[in-house]
Protein backbone atom coordinates (compact mmCIF):
# COMPACT_ATOMS: atom_id res chain seq x y z
CA UNK A 1 0.00 0.00 0.00
CA UNK A 2 1.24 3.48 -0.84
CA UNK A 3 1.96 5.85 2.02
CA UNK A 4 -0.63 8.52 2.80
CA UNK A 5 1.17 11.79 2.06
CA UNK A 6 -1.59 14.27 2.86
CA UNK A 7 -4.76 14.03 4.88
CA UNK A 8 -7.51 16.57 5.49
CA UNK A 9 -9.86 15.90 8.40
CA UNK A 10 -13.20 17.71 8.90
CA UNK A 11 -11.99 20.98 7.41
CA UNK A 12 -14.27 23.97 7.93
CA UNK A 13 -13.79 27.56 6.79
CA UNK A 14 -16.14 30.38 7.75
CA UNK A 15 -15.28 33.93 6.75
CA UNK A 16 -16.14 37.12 8.58
CA UNK A 17 -19.72 37.89 7.70
CA UNK A 18 -20.81 34.29 8.04
CA UNK A 19 -19.90 32.87 4.62
CA UNK A 20 -19.42 29.14 5.22
CA UNK A 21 -17.02 28.32 2.36
CA UNK A 22 -15.93 24.80 3.39
CA UNK A 23 -18.09 22.34 5.31
CA UNK A 24 -16.64 19.20 6.88
CA UNK A 25 -14.26 18.28 4.05
CA UNK A 26 -12.16 15.14 4.59
CA UNK A 27 -9.94 13.20 2.18
CA UNK A 28 -6.55 11.52 1.88
CA UNK A 29 -3.96 11.53 -0.89
CA UNK A 30 -1.47 8.70 -1.28
CA UNK A 31 2.07 8.95 -2.58
CA UNK A 32 2.11 9.28 -6.37
CA UNK A 33 -1.64 9.82 -6.56
CA UNK A 34 -3.28 12.49 -8.70
CA UNK A 35 -6.51 13.87 -7.24
CA UNK A 36 -8.81 16.17 -9.23
CA UNK A 37 -11.26 18.45 -7.41
CA UNK A 38 -14.05 19.81 -9.58
CA UNK A 39 -17.18 21.85 -9.06
CA UNK A 40 -18.81 25.18 -9.86
CA UNK A 41 -17.19 28.51 -9.01
CA UNK A 42 -17.69 29.29 -5.35
CA UNK A 43 -17.98 25.65 -4.29
CA UNK A 44 -14.98 25.87 -1.94
CA UNK A 45 -12.39 24.08 -4.08
CA UNK A 46 -9.71 26.79 -4.04
CA UNK A 47 -10.34 27.52 -0.37
CA UNK A 48 -9.43 23.93 0.46
CA UNK A 49 -6.10 24.26 -1.36
CA UNK A 50 -5.31 27.57 0.30
CA UNK A 51 -6.02 26.08 3.71
CA UNK A 52 -3.74 23.13 2.96
CA UNK A 53 -0.90 25.47 1.99
CA UNK A 54 -1.68 27.81 4.91
CA UNK A 55 -2.32 30.83 2.75
CA UNK A 56 -5.45 31.04 4.87
CA UNK A 57 -6.23 29.18 8.08
CA UNK A 58 -9.20 26.83 8.38
CA UNK A 59 -11.75 27.65 11.06
CA UNK A 60 -11.71 24.02 12.14
CA UNK A 61 -10.05 20.77 11.08
CA UNK A 62 -6.69 19.09 10.78
CA UNK A 63 -4.24 18.97 7.87
CA UNK A 64 -1.46 16.38 8.10
CA UNK A 65 1.59 15.98 5.88
CA UNK A 66 3.13 12.52 6.27
CA UNK A 67 1.31 12.18 9.58
CA UNK A 68 2.54 15.52 10.97
CA UNK A 69 -0.08 18.17 11.70
CA UNK A 70 0.88 21.28 9.75
CA UNK A 71 -1.95 23.71 10.57
CA UNK A 72 -0.83 24.66 14.06
CA UNK A 73 0.94 27.83 15.28
CA UNK A 74 3.98 25.69 16.05
CA UNK A 75 4.36 24.54 12.41
CA UNK A 76 6.78 26.64 10.35
CA UNK A 77 4.74 28.18 7.52
CA UNK A 78 7.78 28.55 5.24
CA UNK A 79 8.67 24.89 5.78
CA UNK A 80 5.09 23.86 4.99
CA UNK A 81 5.09 25.88 1.76
CA UNK A 82 8.46 24.46 0.71
CA UNK A 83 7.11 20.92 1.12
CA UNK A 84 3.78 21.67 -0.58
CA UNK A 85 4.24 23.44 -3.90
CA UNK A 86 1.38 25.55 -5.22
CA UNK A 87 0.62 26.84 -8.71
CA UNK A 88 -1.96 29.61 -9.02
CA UNK A 89 -4.25 30.58 -11.89
CA UNK A 90 -2.70 34.08 -11.96
CA UNK A 91 0.94 32.84 -12.08
CA UNK A 92 2.11 34.99 -9.10
CA UNK A 93 5.54 35.61 -10.63
CA UNK A 94 7.68 38.55 -9.54
CA UNK A 95 7.44 40.94 -12.48
CA UNK A 96 10.69 42.72 -11.64
CA UNK A 97 12.75 39.50 -11.62
CA UNK A 98 14.04 37.46 -14.53
CA UNK A 99 12.76 33.93 -15.06
CA UNK A 100 15.90 32.39 -13.56
CA UNK A 101 15.60 34.59 -10.48
CA UNK A 102 11.91 33.75 -9.99
CA UNK A 103 12.78 30.05 -9.91
CA UNK A 104 15.99 30.28 -7.86
CA UNK A 105 14.79 32.76 -5.21
CA UNK A 106 13.14 30.18 -2.95
CA UNK A 107 16.09 27.81 -3.29
CA UNK A 108 18.39 30.51 -1.91
CA UNK A 109 16.22 31.98 0.83
CA UNK A 110 14.24 28.91 1.96
CA UNK A 111 16.42 25.94 1.05
CA UNK A 112 19.66 27.79 1.89
CA UNK A 113 21.42 26.93 -1.38
CA UNK A 114 24.25 29.04 -2.70
CA UNK A 115 23.32 31.33 -5.56
CA UNK A 116 25.45 29.30 -7.96
CA UNK A 117 23.89 25.98 -6.97
CA UNK A 118 20.40 27.48 -7.00
CA UNK A 119 20.84 28.83 -10.52
CA UNK A 120 22.23 25.49 -11.71
CA UNK A 121 19.26 23.62 -10.25
CA UNK A 122 16.75 26.18 -11.50
CA UNK A 123 18.24 25.95 -14.98
CA UNK A 124 17.91 22.17 -15.03
CA UNK A 125 14.22 22.40 -14.09
CA UNK A 126 13.55 25.12 -16.67
CA UNK A 127 15.25 23.01 -19.31
CA UNK A 128 12.81 20.21 -18.54
CA UNK A 129 9.96 22.57 -19.40
CA UNK A 130 11.62 23.91 -22.54
CA UNK A 131 12.23 27.33 -21.00
CA UNK A 132 16.01 27.41 -20.93
CA UNK A 133 16.13 29.95 -23.74
CA UNK A 134 14.00 32.35 -21.67
CA UNK A 135 15.98 32.40 -18.41
CA UNK A 136 16.89 36.09 -18.78
CA UNK A 137 13.40 37.20 -19.84
CA UNK A 138 11.04 39.06 -17.54
CA UNK A 139 7.48 37.77 -16.99
CA UNK A 140 6.04 40.68 -18.94
CA UNK A 141 7.75 39.35 -22.07
CA UNK A 142 6.32 35.83 -21.75
CA UNK A 143 3.10 34.32 -23.04
CA UNK A 144 0.53 33.09 -20.54
CA UNK A 145 1.53 29.49 -21.15
CA UNK A 146 5.20 30.34 -20.63
CA UNK A 147 4.43 32.17 -17.39
CA UNK A 148 2.55 29.15 -16.07
CA UNK A 149 5.39 26.81 -17.03
CA UNK A 150 7.78 29.05 -15.10
CA UNK A 151 5.40 29.01 -12.13
CA UNK A 152 5.29 25.21 -12.22
CA UNK A 153 9.09 25.07 -12.53
CA UNK A 154 9.44 27.37 -9.52
CA UNK A 155 7.26 25.11 -7.38
CA UNK A 156 8.89 21.92 -8.64
CA UNK A 157 12.42 23.24 -8.08
CA UNK A 158 11.77 23.15 -4.32
CA UNK A 159 11.33 19.36 -4.57
CA UNK A 160 7.92 19.39 -2.85
CA UNK A 161 6.23 16.30 -1.49
CA UNK A 162 2.86 17.42 -2.90
CA UNK A 163 1.94 19.80 -5.72
CA UNK A 164 -1.28 21.82 -5.59
CA UNK A 165 -2.72 23.29 -8.79
CA UNK A 166 -5.43 25.93 -8.41
CA UNK A 167 -7.16 26.14 -11.80
CA UNK A 168 -3.81 26.62 -13.56
CA UNK A 169 -5.31 26.97 -17.06
CA UNK A 170 -8.26 29.26 -16.31
CA UNK A 171 -6.34 32.48 -17.12
CA UNK A 172 -4.90 31.14 -20.38
CA UNK A 173 -5.97 31.60 -23.96
CA UNK A 174 -7.37 28.35 -25.42
CA UNK A 175 -4.30 27.67 -27.57
CA UNK A 176 -2.04 27.86 -24.50
CA UNK A 177 -4.01 25.49 -22.31
CA UNK A 178 -2.61 22.33 -23.89
CA UNK A 179 1.02 23.21 -23.24
CA UNK A 180 0.33 23.61 -19.52
CA UNK A 181 -1.81 20.48 -19.32
CA UNK A 182 0.96 18.54 -21.07
CA UNK A 183 3.37 19.58 -18.30
CA UNK A 184 0.90 18.44 -15.65
CA UNK A 185 0.35 15.12 -17.42
CA UNK A 186 4.12 14.60 -17.48
CA UNK A 187 4.36 15.28 -13.75
CA UNK A 188 1.52 12.85 -13.01
CA UNK A 189 3.15 10.18 -15.18
CA UNK A 190 6.41 10.72 -13.29
CA UNK A 191 4.65 9.92 -10.02
CA UNK A 192 4.30 13.40 -8.52
CA UNK A 193 1.64 13.53 -5.81
CA UNK A 194 -0.84 16.14 -7.05
CA UNK A 195 -4.12 17.81 -6.11
CA UNK A 196 -5.61 19.68 -9.05
CA UNK A 197 -8.56 22.04 -8.82
CA UNK A 198 -9.60 22.19 -12.45
CA UNK A 199 -12.35 22.97 -14.93
CA UNK A 200 -10.68 20.71 -17.52
CA UNK A 201 -12.92 17.64 -17.43
CA UNK A 202 -10.82 15.82 -20.04
CA UNK A 203 -7.74 16.19 -17.87
CA UNK A 204 -9.62 15.01 -14.78
CA UNK A 205 -10.95 11.98 -16.64
CA UNK A 206 -7.68 10.93 -18.27
CA UNK A 207 -5.05 11.80 -15.66
CA UNK A 208 -6.61 11.74 -12.19
CA UNK A 209 -6.66 8.61 -10.07
CA UNK A 210 -9.68 9.96 -8.18
CA UNK A 211 -12.17 12.76 -8.72
CA UNK A 212 -13.87 14.75 -5.97
CA UNK A 213 -16.94 16.85 -6.76
CA UNK A 214 -17.65 19.75 -4.40
CA UNK A 215 -20.79 21.85 -4.14
CA UNK A 216 -21.64 24.56 -1.59
CA UNK A 217 -18.49 23.78 0.40
CA UNK A 218 -19.11 20.05 0.73
CA UNK A 219 -17.77 16.92 -0.92
CA UNK A 220 -20.80 15.55 -2.74
CA UNK A 221 -19.19 12.61 -4.51
CA UNK A 222 -15.81 10.92 -4.81
CA UNK A 223 -14.88 8.11 -7.17
CA UNK A 224 -12.46 6.80 -9.78
CA UNK A 225 -12.73 8.83 -13.01
CA UNK A 226 -14.40 6.18 -15.16
CA UNK A 227 -17.13 5.52 -12.61
CA UNK A 228 -17.48 9.19 -11.70
CA UNK A 229 -18.06 10.40 -15.24
CA UNK A 230 -19.97 7.40 -16.63
CA UNK A 231 -22.14 6.58 -13.62
CA UNK A 232 -22.45 9.50 -11.16
CA UNK A 233 -24.47 8.63 -8.07
CA UNK A 234 -25.65 12.02 -6.85
CA UNK A 235 -28.30 14.09 -8.58
CA UNK A 236 -26.17 17.18 -7.92
CA UNK A 237 -23.24 15.52 -9.68
CA UNK A 238 -25.43 14.49 -12.61
CA UNK A 239 -26.69 18.06 -13.00
CA UNK A 240 -23.18 19.52 -12.88
CA UNK A 241 -21.83 17.06 -15.46
CA UNK A 242 -24.79 17.69 -17.76
CA UNK A 243 -23.81 21.36 -17.80
CA UNK A 244 -20.06 20.95 -18.42
CA UNK A 245 -19.76 17.90 -20.67
Amino acid sequence: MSEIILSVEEMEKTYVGGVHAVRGVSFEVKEGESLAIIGSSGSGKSTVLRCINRLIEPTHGIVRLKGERINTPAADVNDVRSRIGMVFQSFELFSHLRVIDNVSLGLIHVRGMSKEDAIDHASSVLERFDMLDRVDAYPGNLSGGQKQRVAIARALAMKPEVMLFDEPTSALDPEMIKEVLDVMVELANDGMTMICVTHEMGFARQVADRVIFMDEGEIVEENAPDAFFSNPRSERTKLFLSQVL
Side-chain angles (χ1 to χ4, degrees):
M1 296 290 290
S2 298
E3 177 187 6
I4 294 172
I5 297 295
L6 185 81
S7 66
V8 174
E9 304 169 22
E10 294 298 323
M11 180 185 287
E12 302 270 345
K13 179 60 181 178
T14 303
Y15 289 101
V16 175
V19 176
H20 202 164
V22 177
R23 303 167 183 265
V25 166
S26 299
F27 61 85
E28 296 175 341
V29 186
K30 295 180 179 179
E31 183 176 12
E33 189 175 24
S34 178
L35 174 67
I37 304 179
I38 66 173
S40 303
S41 296
S43 60
K45 311 181 302 297
S46 295
T47 301
V48 169
L49 291 196
R50 289 171 180 268
C51 286
I52 291 172
N53 207 39
R54 294 197 60 187
L55 291 168
I56 57 177
E57 299 295 336
T59 308
H60 175 77
I62 298 173
V63 182
R64 299 185 192 275
L65 183 61
K66 289 189 171 178
E68 172 192 353
R69 183 169 180 176
I70 58 173
N71 66 317
T72 68
D76 185 320
V77 173
N78 288 329
D79 178 63
V80 169
R81 292 177 186 164
S82 71
R83 296 172 66 193
I84 303 176
M86 187 156 180
V87 177
F88 303 86
Q89 56 183 297
S90 55
F91 320 125
E92 302 293 340
L93 299 176
F94 293 110
S95 61
H96 65 290
L97 296 179
R98 300 174 303 159
V99 164
I100 191 68
D101 300 319
N102 265 283
V103 178
S104 62
L105 191 67
L107 297 171
I108 296 169
H109 294 286
V110 178
R111 291 291 190 215
M113 295 175 67
S114 69
K115 184 174 182 179
E116 182 179 3
D117 287 345
I119 288 176
D120 284 347
H121 180 58
S123 297
S124 68
V125 178
L126 287 164
E127 182 177 20
R128 175 181 179 181
F129 297 135
D130 197 27
M131 290 296 294
L132 199 55
D133 62 334
R134 305 293 282 160
V135 293
D136 291 322
Y138 288 87
N141 296 320
L142 301 177
S143 70
Q146 289 173 328
K147 289 177 186 177
Q148 199 58 289
R149 279 188 281 159
V150 172
I152 295 171
R154 178 180 59 185
L156 196 63
M158 299 293 286
K159 298 182 178 178
E161 295 161 48
V162 182
M163 285 277 282
L164 310 180
F165 293 88
D166 186 10
E167 301 183 13
T169 61
S170 64
L172 301 179
D173 293 332
E175 64 269 20
M176 297 177 182
I177 290 174
K178 185 179 183 300
E179 66 181 78
V180 173
L181 291 179
D182 285 346
V183 169
M184 295 171 64
V185 170
E186 180 183 336
L187 292 178
N189 290 339
D190 287 347
M192 172 60 69
T193 307
M194 300 164 51
I195 305 176
C196 308
V197 167
T198 182
H199 291 298
E200 301 292 336
M201 295 300 110
F203 173 84
R205 187 166 198 158
Q206 296 170 19
V207 179
D209 297 297
R210 281 185 298 133
V211 178
I212 283 176
F213 170 60
M214 289 186 64
D215 187 51
E216 296 184 352
E218 300 177 318
I219 292 179
V220 174
E221 190 161 339
E222 177 179 351
N223 214 332
D226 285 347
F228 179 88
F229 286 102
S230 63
N231 190 28
R233 297 186 294 260
S234 164
E235 291 302 318
R236 290 158 79 186
T237 308
K238 292 175 184 178
L239 177 61
F240 173 77
L241 292 178
S242 72
Q243 294 170 336
V244 299
L245 295 180

